[in-house]
């Protein structure tokens, strides 16, 4: 049977099918299937005589850990795991206007003093980039290519062989032979594949800027996230000035690292002490608790806020911003079952300060304490912090790096820390401990 010349691909998940469908069978999104031309292999190409290649012994391969390139933006280095790995491909994604172009232009400028640095801009004109550079305090020796044709971009990179390159954004590039619109699944996949080849073959460390969909996923196929070496998410509250950069995937480092910035008119400034920013409730109020978490290698104090409000809904709501919804439901259940905080008739809302997301189990106790405080309308004592993992049986478990958490709390003058240990073995004990601290 002849191969279909046209196929339909889902712009959300990359699923392809021969015929058009209203709903994607793979991800159940409506109206996301778009037509694209399938490239038939040129006659005679397939099955060309391949003889196979000799195998190598892994032990015999000589590899030196290549030196990382400092990006000039310390927080970005931290998230990358100690600098940019030469010839790596890094995807930076984030909401519109969050500051992706700003961050990468700052890094590129810093790197351009010692390395050949190229900015491929498909989204803005060279003049717009210049205006931004002026605002950020200079353009260094950054070279600009305003181009959206993928062939041209790749040919230029091959000729120029820069050491670092930023592509802003991967969704604006198009390969004319594919015939589909820029930003479509096929185009994004093709562009990423070509940059992958270019970066590995010519040793170009490449940053790709990627847009995100409404749901926060990187637009285009998931395939993009598999292709690249690192995926960094730039997020934060757009209505406030701080931004958080985190690694979602990193082939060369930890994915727990967090970079915190503040957006100013002169660009992004590193926030040296995020605990100061996020872990300082202004006043004592019911429903607010400070938790010591560990994000990657650094301890971080975060304020967790909760609201508990009576509801008539048959299924009360549990809404968490910055907390995993499953974890939140679990904590609410344990509070009800093992700590005497009944929440069956109440909506529970939880929010973590500063748009930071906590994935670490050590923050469980902070969430529980905030909810209990909101439910009982009794504020947690100012100057009290907590950490600890909550188990399904209501016990409080030890978590890693307790000493570093305590040191961070002490640094900010929080001397009362409720944590698993002597006398505090269960969630009930911890709540009682917090109450006693208040009474004392
Ligand atoms: N003069 C200024 N003073 C303070 N902040 C500014 C100023 N100009 C721009 N910004 C900030 O920079 C942000 C835009 O940054 P940038 O263009 O790098 O974002 P982006 O993520 O690349 O956006 P896009 O998705 O449109 O490419 C604005 O949302 C604003 O917060
Ligand atoms: Mg931009």
């Amino acid at each position: 049977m002849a191969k279909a010349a046209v196929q339909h691909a889902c712009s959300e998940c990359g699923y392809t099918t021969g015929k058009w469908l209203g709903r994607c069978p793979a991800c159940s999104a409506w109206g996301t299937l778009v037509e694209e031309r399938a490239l038939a292999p040129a006659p005679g190409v397939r099955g060309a005589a391949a003889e196979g290649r000799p195998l190598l012994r892994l032990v015999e391969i000589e590899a030196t850990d290549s030196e990382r390139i400092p990006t000039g933006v310390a927080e970005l280095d931290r998230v990358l795991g100690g600098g940019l790995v030469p010839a790596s491909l890094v995807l930076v994604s984030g909401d519109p206007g969050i500051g992706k172009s700003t961050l990468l232009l700052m890094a590129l400028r810093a790197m351009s003093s010692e390395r050949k640095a190229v900015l491929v801009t498909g989204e803005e004109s060279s003049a717009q980039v210049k205006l931004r550079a002026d605002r950020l305090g200079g353009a260094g020796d950054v070279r600009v290519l305003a181009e959206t044709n993928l062939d041209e971009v790749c040919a230029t990179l091959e000729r120029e062989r820069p050491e670092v390159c930023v592509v802003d954004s991967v969704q604006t590039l198009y390969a004319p032979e594919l015939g589909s619109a820029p930003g479509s699944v096929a185009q994004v996949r093709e562009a990423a594949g070509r940059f992958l080849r270019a970066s590995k073959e010519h040793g170009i460390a490449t940053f790709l800027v990627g847009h995100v969909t409404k749901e926060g996923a990187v637009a285009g196929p998931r395939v993009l996230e598999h292709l690249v070496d690192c995926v960094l998410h730039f997020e934060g509250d757009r209505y406030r000035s701080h931004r958080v950069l985190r690694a979602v995937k990193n082939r060369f480092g930890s994915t727990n690292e967090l970079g915190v910035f503040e957006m100013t008119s002169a660009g992004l400034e590193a926030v040296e002490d995020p605990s100061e920013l996020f872990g300082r409730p202004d006043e004592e109020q019911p429903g607010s608790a400070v938790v010591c978490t560990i994000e990657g290698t650094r301890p971080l104090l975060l304020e967790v806020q909760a609201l508990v409000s009576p509801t008539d809904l048959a299924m009360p709501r549990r809404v968490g911003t910055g907390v995993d919804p499953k974890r939140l439901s679990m904590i609410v259940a344990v509070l009800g079952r093992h700590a005497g905080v009944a929440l069956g008739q109440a909506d529970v809302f939880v929010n973590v300060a500063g748009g930071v997301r906590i994935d670490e189990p050590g923050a469980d106790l902070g969430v529980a304490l905030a909810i209990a405080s909101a439910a009982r309308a009794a504020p947690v004592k100012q100057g009290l912090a907590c950490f600890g993992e909550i188990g399904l049986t209501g016990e409080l478990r030890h978590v890693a790096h307790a000493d570093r958490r305590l040191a961070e709390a002490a640094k900010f003058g929080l001397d009362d820390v409720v944590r698993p240990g002597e006398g505090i073995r269960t969630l009930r004990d911890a709540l009682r401990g917090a109450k006693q601290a208040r009474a004392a």
Side-chain angles (χ1 to χ4, degrees):
M1 199 180 87
K3 200 162 186 271
V6 168
Q7 63 180 14
H8 295 86
C10 171
S11 55
E12 294 288 327
C13 70
Y15 174 86
T16 54
T17 157
K19 63 175 194 283
W20 186 84
L21 299 168
R23 184 182 203 187
C24 172
C27 68
S28 309
W30 287 96
T32 52
L33 266 78
V34 287
E35 185 179 308
E36 56 184 38
R37 208 162 359 124
L39 280 187
V45 169
R46 233 195 15 230
E51 289 171 357
R53 302 219 275 143
L55 293 177
L56 298 175
R57 280 217 164 71
L58 199 51
V59 287
E60 288 162 9
I61 296 173
E62 275 185 36
T64 45
D65 203 1
S66 48
E67 223 160 84
R68 294 190 179 231
I69 306 170
T71 60
V73 179
E75 297 288 293
L76 179 58
D77 284 348
R78 177 207 295 279
V79 177
L80 286 170
L84 184 61
V85 173
S88 63
L89 191 60
V90 180
L91 177 68
V92 179
S93 66
D95 287 337
I98 202 81
K100 303 177 291 292
S101 310
T102 309
L103 174 71
L104 293 178
L105 183 59
M106 286 170 63
L108 209 55
R109 181 187 63 197
M111 287 187 281
S112 70
S113 60
E114 289 187 7
R115 299 182 161 76
K116 191 163 181 181
V118 169
L119 171 65
V120 178
T121 164
E123 224 153 65
E124 293 163 61
S125 68
S126 320
Q128 283 172 318
V129 175
K130 179 70 184 13
L131 283 179
R132 173 177 298 120
D134 286 344
R135 180 161 60 82
L136 301 182
D141 194 18
V142 176
R143 291 148 213 233
V144 184
L145 172 67
E147 179 62 67
T148 53
N149 185 326
L150 191 56
D151 297 331
E152 291 284 346
V153 171
C154 288
T156 313
L157 291 184
E158 200 156 317
R159 192 187 65 222
E160 297 286 333
R161 304 271 170 102
E163 252 185 275
V164 269
C165 167
V166 169
V167 179
D168 192 2
S169 67
V170 65
Q171 270 96 358
T172 53
L173 297 176
Y174 74 99
E177 67 271 20
L178 287 188
S180 48
S184 66
V185 182
Q187 292 284 9
V188 171
R189 199 188 304 152
E190 174 73 11
R194 289 226 217 154
F195 284 118
L196 180 69
R197 267 198 306 275
S199 74
K200 304 292 171 200
E201 275 171 23
H202 309 307
I204 309 172
T206 311
F207 284 104
L208 298 179
V209 174
H211 293 173
V212 292
T213 60
K214 275 202 302 292
E215 289 78 33
V218 180
R222 280 316 288 266
V223 149
L224 200 59
E225 298 190 15
H226 291 294
L227 277 180
V228 299
D229 295 314
C230 303
V231 181
L232 308 184
H233 264 303
F234 204 27
E235 51 195 28
D237 203 335
R238 246 193 329 143
Y239 305 101
R240 284 200 259 164
S241 59
H242 45 257
R243 309 275 191 268
V244 175
L245 182 70
R246 66 165 72 237
V248 179
K249 159 180 173 179
N250 193 349
R251 285 189 181 145
F252 316 110
S254 146
T255 52
N256 303 327
E257 291 292 351
L258 198 71
V260 184
F261 299 91
E262 186 160 0
M263 177 66 93
T264 68
S265 58
L268 291 158
E269 271 171 32
V271 174
E272 303 283 329
D273 251 330
S275 294
E276 177 80 47
L277 194 63
F278 302 141
R280 286 290 188 100
D282 298 331
E283 51 196 291
E284 232 171 62
Q285 271 171 347
S288 153
V290 176
V291 65
C292 318
T293 65
I294 296 273
E295 285 290 343
T297 53
R298 78 170 153 191
L300 181 61
L301 295 179
L302 287 174
E303 184 193 351
V304 182
Q305 291 189 334
L307 172 70
V308 171
S309 114
T311 182
D312 292 329
L313 292 179
M315 285 190 41
R317 285 189 290 176
R318 278 83 183 85
V319 184
T321 315
V323 215
D324 176 26
K326 288 198 197 115
R327 200 95 205 154
L328 176 58
S329 303
M330 190 274 274
I331 293 172
V332 168
V334 176
L335 272 170
R337 184 73 181 76
H338 295 291
V341 184
L343 297 161
Q345 302 298 316
D347 288 335
V348 177
F349 302 88
V350 173
N351 183 29
V352 179
V356 182
R357 231 182 29 230
I358 40 181
D359 316 318
E360 196 233 358
D364 287 355
L365 185 56
V367 177
L369 209 55
I371 297 175
S373 152
R376 295 170 170 166
V380 176
K381 186 186 140 213
Q382 210 163 19
L384 183 132
C386 63
F387 62 86
E389 181 183 349
I390 295 173
L392 285 181
T393 55
E395 87 273 24
L396 204 58
R397 294 216 195 107
H398 287 277
V399 286
H401 307 300
D403 44 344
R404 301 216 341 247
R405 296 175 203 250
L406 287 172
E408 182 76 0
K411 189 166 128 198
F412 289 91
L414 306 173
D415 341 295
D416 261 333
V417 181
V418 177
R419 65 194 169 104
E422 217 35 49
I424 300 186
R425 301 196 188 284
T426 62
L427 177 57
R428 199 184 275 269
D429 295 341
L431 295 187
R432 198 179 306 128
K435 204 164 153 191
Q436 276 162 5
R438 163 130 215 106

